[in-house]
């Protein structure tokens, strides 16, 4: 039997144990793991150094090495994240609906764990701990398939997690790490219907697309964001500047950062040259439509491919539009249904934009950078769902649960 | 461009119109269609006769011909179903959550339509109307791919629907029928990411498995049910008999009918011979384990394959078990997570069964035949989801919606 199937089966065997745990038992286990990770800090850093060494030998990019690197401060942060998860309310067992039928049937819809969750991710070893914590808190077993570049770190982290779990009510088999670094192990996970209840990809768009295109197991698609900000004719110039700069440069590498600025022609005529200079001062390259380049000759011409690109970088597309309709049509064509914003003083336009733009989060007069589980007050984030089924937008703990109808009768039969 | 892609694009183009409709506009359209179907009754029956004629020439089975056949009474029932959908509350626009953040952001999570829904189904032409009604009521466009055996009926029904919609606020393009009878048109629908937001299969298990195995579009899996009833040692004999007979014979062809009866050995010793005779009188063939056959020699030996089969027929597997654990383990191995029942007077056993058995609906002392949107009081049923994401169990109108975060700010930027 393959490693993937074997470990998924082991995880499946503890699902009923996990179903029976109390919130206190789960929290105690998370706190025990947090403590063990801090105690094992130097061991983890030694293992991480092996990964970094291998990465440097293979010519891995500096930004990837940075994502991979652990230090005492980061490990402390990871452990702290687990303590925060322990502090959150446990959604499992919540009653979602109660139905009393005329025939006397009493139906309760209750939140239950999903079962076994597969997580496919890349180089960041913090995802190993974070995903484990979120899954265990919600009573799920988890099968982790991290990037091969972090394998030594992940092995050590899982060893420490397993040791810590031994003294808790959570079975060690609830946490599985796939060590096979080949692409085949990912492909196998994606087809494990009946053993995995869901697969969640966490990483860049090629990883996500591979999962979406090849999985027969249900998937929660996360991530890709070509986010727009539309500065309407009536936008307050100061607010428009502040929101659009924030959406682009506060952290360009993330999915809720802006990729394209849409500007109403009347706003552009008065304010765009100033705004463009502010972007230039912040080190942002502008790629614009013809009208943009008439106002700002130093902007590079923008192609349809540019409008369809998630740069995650200091590059911004600009398009000057005639009206709200043109802005909405552009977003319909190029948006990824993640986060979109209108800056306007016109309430009617704001309402139309928020109703007609099809995205997980639609903002009026606020930066798209707020699309985030912590910023929404969820206390945790599994990711940002860009699909419409099950969960949409920032996902908190309830996104890792399902429901079950529990029906009490006294002999009812169907007529 | 293929028919499938062309029609899915046409449907996609009216999504924003559908988003802006009021409940009243949608209801008026449904009532207009109901009336038009009744007025067009004889035309529909003539078209249906073509399908039946072709079916008879091709040697189609009587049961399939029955599912395909329409008559004035059935058409009246179909129209009545639309009127019932019009009467139901509209879930679109419901506020699911309101969050006020310390920074002043006001976040509202609102129910919205899914967008464009693909439905893949078989011979029943009533599904054409039913699925259309459920999708339009929830503000979705729908792409229907019915079985080729019902093509003439479906064409006529869609022609009548389009004529009726012409005088309403719902654009005709919101309802699309794929006429290409080839398997390729289904395969193409399953890969239409970006054009279809979800595909829902309605039909037998081979249709469902084809969709689940081949779709890259998100799927809501419905249907397959290997449902169990466990008669515990303390079960009341009369209730046990009534519930298990009802679960098997009231309508054996449906997914919530029982396929396997699990009997505690103590209950079996006292009552199983009588119960077996009741099944025999009802025309049910029993396939049993060795212990079963010692009590009821006329039972056929049951294989693992039998335990894994959804008969949808007058055949019942029986297994005599030593205790609750063995019953739960059997269900874990052979169940399809649809509907499961325990008949017992022991509250502790009932609670354990309802907690540990992983299924959409878990009954204590009531027939599994109640797993149904109408029986649960939803007033409609899209199907019974056997997956754990998005919707589980009988699905009412909310299962055809997604959500959207609408965020109001006054210039907030991320620090």
């Amino acid at each position: 039997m393959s490693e993937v199937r074997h470990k998924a089966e082991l995880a499946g065997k503890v699902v009923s144990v996990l179903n029976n745990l109390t919130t206190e038992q789960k929290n105690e286990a998370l706190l025990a793991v947090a403590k063990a990770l801090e105690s094992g800090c130097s061991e983890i850093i030694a293992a991480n150094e092996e990964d970094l060494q291998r990465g440097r030998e293979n010519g891995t990019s500096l930004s990837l090495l940075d994502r991979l690197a652990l230090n005492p401060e980061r490990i402390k942060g990871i452990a702290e994240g687990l303590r925060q998860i322990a502090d959150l309310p446990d959604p499992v067992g919540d009653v979602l609906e109660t139905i009393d039928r005329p025939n006397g049937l009493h139906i309760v819809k209750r939140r239950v764990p999903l079962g076994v969750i597969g997580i496919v991710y890349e180089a960041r070893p913090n995802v190993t701990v974070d995903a484990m914590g979120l899954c265990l808190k919600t009573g799920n077993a988890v099968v982790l398939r991290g990037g091969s570049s972090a394998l030594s770190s992940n092995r050590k982290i899982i060893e420490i997690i397993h040791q810590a779990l031994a003294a808790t009510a959570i079975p060690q088999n609830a946490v599985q790490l796939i060590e096979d670094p080949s692409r085949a192990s990912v492909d196998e996970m994606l087809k494990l219907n009946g053993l995995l209840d869901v697969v969640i990809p966490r990483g860049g768009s090629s990883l996500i697309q591979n999962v979406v295109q090849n999985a027969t197991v249900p998937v929660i698609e996360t991530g890709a964001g070509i986010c727009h900000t539309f500065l309407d004719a009536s936008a307050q110039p100061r607010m428009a500047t502040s929101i659009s700069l924030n959406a682009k440069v506060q952290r360009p590498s993330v999915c809720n950062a802006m990729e394209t600025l849409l500007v109403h022609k009347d706003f552009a005529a008065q304010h765009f040259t100033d705004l463009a200079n502010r972007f230039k001062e912040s080190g942002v390259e502008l790629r614009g439509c013809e009208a943009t380049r008439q106002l700002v000759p130093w902007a590079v011409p923008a192609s349809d491919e540019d409008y369809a690109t998630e740069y995650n970088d200091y590059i911004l597309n600009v398009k000057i539009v005639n009206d709200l309709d043109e802005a909405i049509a552009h977003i319909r064509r190029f948006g990824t249904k993640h986060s979109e914003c209108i800056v306007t003083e016109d309430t009617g336009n704001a309402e139309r934009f928020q109703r007609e733009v099809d995205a997980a989060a639609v903002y009026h007069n606020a930066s798209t950078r707020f699309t985030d589980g912590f910023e929404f007050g969820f206390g945790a984030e599994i990711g940002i769902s860009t699909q419409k089924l099950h969960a949409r937008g920032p996902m908190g703990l309830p996104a890792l649960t399902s429901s079950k109808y529990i029906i009490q009768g006294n002999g009812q039969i169907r007529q």
Side-chain angles (χ1 to χ4, degrees), chain A residues 275-335:
Chain A
L275 181 57
N277 286 329
R278 293 293 300 276
F279 277 108
K280 194 177 190 181
E281 287 161 21
S282 300
V284 177
E285 172 189 323
L286 296 192
R287 301 192 183 174
C289 63
E290 261 196 54
T292 305
R293 297 184 64 236
Q294 279 171 13
L295 292 169
V296 181
W298 52 266
V300 179
S303 66
D304 276 0
E305 205 187 318
D306 289 325
Y307 290 126
T309 300
E310 185 179 8
Y311 298 117
N312 288 336
D313 204 347
Y314 287 84
I315 306 172
L316 177 68
N317 301 314
V318 180
K319 187 174 181 190
I320 293 175
V321 296
N322 287 312
D323 52 22
L324 178 62
D325 285 309
E326 197 182 340
I328 292 175
H330 181 95
I331 294 171
R332 187 173 301 135
R333 178 159 173 214
F334 294 106

Side-chain angles (χ1 to χ4, degrees), chain A residues 42 67 104 113 169 181 241 248 285 299 310 318 345 369-370 407 412 414:
Chain A
S42 55
R67 272 177 272 167
T241 304
K248 181 73 247 179
E285 172 189 323
E310 185 179 8
V318 180
E345 294 302 300
R369 287 279 294 111
F370 286 107
I407 302 113
Q412 281 84 348
R414 182 103 176 248

Side-chain angles (χ1 to χ4, degrees), chain A residues 3 7 43-55 58 64 67-70 121-126 128 144-160 176-182 185:
Chain A
E3 184 203 7
K7 290 186 170 174
E43 288 173 68
I44 297 172
I45 288 172
N48 185 245
E49 187 46 50
E50 291 173 30
D51 287 328
L52 290 169
Q53 185 59 37
R54 214 172 46 244
N58 296 340
L64 203 144
R67 272 177 272 167
L68 179 55
L70 293 174
Y121 55 106
E122 294 174 328
R124 297 179 194 266
N126 61 311
T128 307
L144 299 156
R145 169 58 171 77
S148 55
S149 58
L151 189 54
S152 301
S153 313
N154 286 338
R155 272 188 184 139
K156 178 54 73 181
I157 289 170
I158 292 292
E159 185 189 318
I160 291 173
Q176 300 289 340
L177 177 71
I178 303 302
E179 303 191 8
D180 176 354
S182 73
S185 66

Side-chain angles (χ1 to χ4, degrees), chain A residues 229 242-252 256-259 367-369:
Chain A
T229 302
S242 147
I243 287 177
S244 57
L245 276 169
N246 184 260
K248 181 73 247 179
V249 306
Q250 197 253 348
R251 201 171 168 203
N256 56 21
M258 167 174 65
E259 302 299 354
S367 167
T368 55
R369 287 279 294 111

Side-chain angles (χ1 to χ4, degrees), chain A residues 171-286:
Chain A
Q172 294 173 319
N173 276 333
V175 183
Q176 300 289 340
L177 177 71
I178 303 302
E179 303 191 8
D180 176 354
S182 73
R183 163 84 182 259
S185 66
V186 174
D187 292 344
E188 193 181 353
M189 277 180 75
L190 301 182
K191 310 271 185 203
L192 275 190
N193 298 62
L195 288 174
L196 296 184
D197 291 289
V198 59
V199 169
I200 304 176
R202 285 182 64 167
S205 67
S206 74
L207 176 137
I208 293 168
Q209 279 313 305
N210 176 42
V211 170
V212 170
Q213 292 300 319
N214 294 302
T216 52
V217 172
V219 170
I220 301 180
E221 187 173 350
T222 62
I226 297 179
C227 303
H228 302 76
T229 302
F230 171 49
L231 308 181
D232 198 8
S234 67
Q236 280 187 20
R238 200 179 297 178
M239 192 191 286
T241 304
S242 147
I243 287 177
S244 57
L245 276 169
N246 184 260
K248 181 73 247 179
V249 306
Q250 197 253 348
R251 201 171 168 203
S253 63
V254 290
C255 60
N256 56 21
M258 167 174 65
E259 302 299 354
T260 297
L261 181 67
L262 302 168
V263 189
H264 191 286
K265 64 181 192 312
D266 298 344
F267 185 92
Q270 284 198 50
H271 308 290
F272 185 64
T273 320
D274 286 350
L275 181 57
N277 286 329
R278 293 293 300 276
F279 277 108
K280 194 177 190 181
E281 287 161 21
S282 300
V284 177
E285 172 189 323
L286 296 192

